[in-house]
């Protein structure tokens, strides 16, 4: 078991960060961005039409390309009327929200409404994915709440083994990110706006251009841009590109760039890698199922923790326990996993986290009784840790104690314990949970009212 590590949200104000709301709820509160529009008496030939009424228009969707604002051709979008007491009728989803793809001029579908509406009455943002759960952020300055347009950002989603990029780009004129939709209920989404990647505008612009090609399903165009990149030479740049390729679903290419980032080069390799770089590389290796490389980098980071002359620190992560828990997902690496968790116990002493990890590994290796005993003790110490709830319950279910597992998971639901690992365990056992119903169902709404209220995070600019 591991204690959760969260990507820090950076130093500007994060206003109205809407926490994984279903589509209809998002539509109610989102201020409309300013955008260019195309308005004529009737739609151009062949343009899709939606809505009802005698007033019609299309909108031209624009996105920032660094410092300029350009129409976005062939780009998935999300469009709805914003807080006007009217909705777009006849959308495929039936909720008044239109998901479409702009044409070659960056135009949306034609929208008919009963009342005349200016472009500012609509919300139009880029869309990624096509799942029932969705999220976006709006960024504003400290003090005056003025939107921050054209601000580079990266969205990450907490996976089981680390933070994975899910989108990058520039905020809209009203400070909005793209709308990211996915299939994972109540997943943890983070917004990063100040980092080594976003601060380098030239290199970030190259990543953004590649990402837009992937979003337009133009893989050949993306490959051409990658081949011409100026920012793909250093290990940091190569890891950033690997993040982007993983985000776009090209795992083998991402592994290739991780391997390139590990290559020996003169004179840089005469110095050991920067700790932050090594940690990011380890994060990618875990996400990309590269256990041999992940173990090597975890051992290198452990060596730095215990090297001569360095006193232990209270905030040092338990790297031995973390890599042990990861390696337990690979049958061929269970011996290494057990060796690492026992190293954690030797260094840090027994605690609920490494005892839970050891119990999970022993159960996977066939010592079910001792594994369950250790996980039971771990659960008593950290009953709200979703990983021990998932693993302990799944081991009980796999070994003939489904009633005990059910009681454990019912208690977790009552205490609002949730996460990716628990989702996967309950899915394997086909155990019911409100989040396994439709995102807009009464069961989900009731559970969210109790457990998952929208959150707003505010931070100020450092002086």
């Amino acid at each position: 078991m591991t204690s959760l590590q969260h990507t820090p949200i950076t130093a500007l104000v994060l206003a109205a960060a809407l926490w994984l709301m279903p589509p209809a709820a998002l539509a109610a509160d989102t201020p409309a961005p300013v955008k260019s529009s195309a308005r004529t008496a009737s739609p151009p030939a062949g343009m899709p039409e939606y809505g009802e009424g005698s007033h019609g228009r299309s909108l031209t969707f624009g996105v920032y390309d660094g410092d300029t604002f350009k129409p976005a051709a062939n780009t998935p979008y999300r469009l709805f009327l914003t807080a006007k007491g009217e909705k777009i009728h006849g959308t495929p989803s039936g909720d008044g929200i239109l998901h479409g793809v702009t044409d070659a001029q960056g135009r949306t579908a034609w929208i008919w409404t009963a009342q005349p509406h200016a472009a500012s009455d609509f919300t139009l943002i880029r869309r990624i994915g096509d799942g029932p759960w969705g999220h976006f952020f709006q960024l504003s300055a400290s003090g005056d709440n003025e939107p921050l347009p054209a601000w580079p950002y990266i969205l990450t989603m907490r996976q089981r083994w680390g933070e994975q990029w899910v989108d990058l780009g520039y905020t809209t004129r009203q400070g909005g990110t793209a709308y990211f939709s996915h299939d994972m209920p109540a997943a943890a989404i983070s917004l990063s706006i100040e980092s080594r990647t976003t601060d380098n505008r030239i290199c970030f612009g190259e990543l953004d251009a590649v990402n837009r090609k992937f979003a337009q399903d133009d893989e050949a165009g993306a490959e051409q841009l990658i081949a011409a990149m100026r920012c793909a030479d250093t290990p940091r740049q190569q890891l950033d590109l690997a993040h982007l390729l993983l985000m776009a679903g090209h795992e083998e290419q991402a592994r290739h760039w991780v391997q390139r980032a590990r290559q020996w080069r003169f004179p840089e390799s005469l110095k050991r890698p920067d700790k932050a770089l090594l940690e990011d590389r380890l994060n990618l290796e875990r996400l990309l199922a590269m256990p041999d490389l992940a173990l090597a980098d975890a051992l290198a980071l452990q060596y730095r923790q215990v090297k001569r002359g360095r006193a232990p620190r209270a905030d040092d992560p338990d790297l031995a326990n973390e890599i042990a828990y990861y390696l337990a997902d690979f049958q061929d690496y269970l011996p290494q996993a057990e060796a690492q968790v026992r190293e954690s116990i030797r260094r840090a002493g027994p605690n609920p986290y490494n005892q839970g990890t050891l119990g999970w590994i022993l159960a996977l290796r066939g010592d079910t009784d001792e594994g369950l005993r250790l996980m039971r003790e771990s659960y008593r110490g950290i009953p709200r840790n979703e990983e021990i709830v998932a693993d302990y319950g799944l081991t009980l279910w796999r070994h003939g104690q489904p009633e005990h597992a059910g009681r454990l998971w019912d208690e977790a639901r009552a205490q609002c314990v949730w996460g990716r690992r628990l989702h996967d365990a309950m899915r394997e056992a086909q155990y019911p949970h409100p989040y396994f119903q439709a995102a807009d169902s009464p069961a989900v709404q009731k559970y969210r009212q109790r457990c998952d209220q929208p959150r707003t995070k505010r931070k100020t600019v450092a002086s």
Side-chain angles (χ1 to χ4, degrees), residues 161-360:
W161 297 124
E163 295 287 343
Q164 180 176 329
W165 289 11
V166 294
D167 182 47
L168 62 81
Y170 298 91
T171 54
T172 67
R173 287 176 173 171
Q174 287 297 316
T177 68
Y179 177 80
F180 171 59
S181 61
H182 52 88
D183 295 323
M184 177 60 198
I189 309 292
S190 297
L191 172 66
S192 176
I193 56 176
E194 290 179 344
S195 67
R196 296 182 185 183
T197 301
T198 55
D199 288 348
N200 188 324
R201 294 302 178 96
I202 293 176
C203 294
F204 187 84
E206 290 190 338
L207 293 171
D208 177 56
V210 173
N211 185 45
R212 282 185 280 112
K213 288 294 185 182
F214 280 130
Q216 296 165 352
D217 290 328
D218 184 2
E219 293 192 9
E223 290 174 0
Q224 290 175 358
L225 290 177
I226 290 172
M229 285 180 69
R230 293 176 293 171
C231 299
D233 294 331
T234 70
R236 163 52 54 204
Q237 294 165 351
Q238 291 162 351
L239 292 181
D240 284 345
L241 184 52
H243 274 291
L244 178 63
L245 288 163
L246 173 59
M247 180 176 78
H250 298 277
E251 293 188 5
E252 282 304 317
Q253 293 183 49
R255 292 187 183 99
H256 164 76
W257 284 98
V258 169
Q259 293 279 14
R260 285 191 60 173
R262 296 178 61 93
Q263 288 177 352
W264 197 92
R265 66 195 72 207
F266 182 84
E268 294 89 349
S269 296
L270 296 177
K271 299 187 298 183
R272 67 182 186 178
D274 175 78
K275 180 172 177 286
L277 180 77
L278 196 55
E279 290 172 338
D280 189 34
R281 196 169 75 187
L282 172 59
N283 179 62
L284 268 168
E285 290 160 350
R286 298 200 308 178
L287 290 170
L288 287 165
M290 305 170 79
D292 51 341
L293 299 184
L295 177 57
D297 281 344
L299 290 172
L301 286 166
Q302 289 179 58
Y303 174 76
R304 296 189 187 193
Q305 282 186 347
V306 300
K307 68 179 180 179
R308 182 176 299 178
R310 182 188 183 278
R313 299 171 185 169
D315 60 348
D316 281 344
D318 189 346
L319 295 166
N321 180 54
E322 289 180 8
I323 194 62
Y325 190 49
Y326 171 72
L327 293 174
D329 258 18
F330 302 88
Q331 182 69 30
D332 291 343
Y333 286 81
L334 286 175
Q336 294 94 321
E338 183 174 345
Q340 281 294 293
V341 73
R342 292 193 183 279
E343 178 66 12
S344 166
I345 294 169
R346 185 188 70 80
R347 291 181 186 174
N351 59 56
Y353 296 100
N354 55 31
Q355 294 293 281
T357 299
L358 179 57
W360 173 239

Side-chain angles (χ1 to χ4, degrees), residues 125-155:
I125 54 178
R126 190 164 54 90
R127 175 178 56 85
I128 302 103
D130 194 25
W133 298 88
H135 188 99
F136 70 98
F137 292 88
Q138 286 181 278
L139 202 63
S140 62
S142 175
D144 56 13
N145 277 339
E146 285 297 311
L148 291 172
W151 200 277
Y153 71 86
I154 297 173
L155 290 183

Side-chain angles (χ1 to χ4, degrees), residues 22-24 95 132-133 437-445:
D95 58 6
W133 298 88
Q437 300 188 35
D440 58 353
S441 67
V444 168
Q445 293 175 7

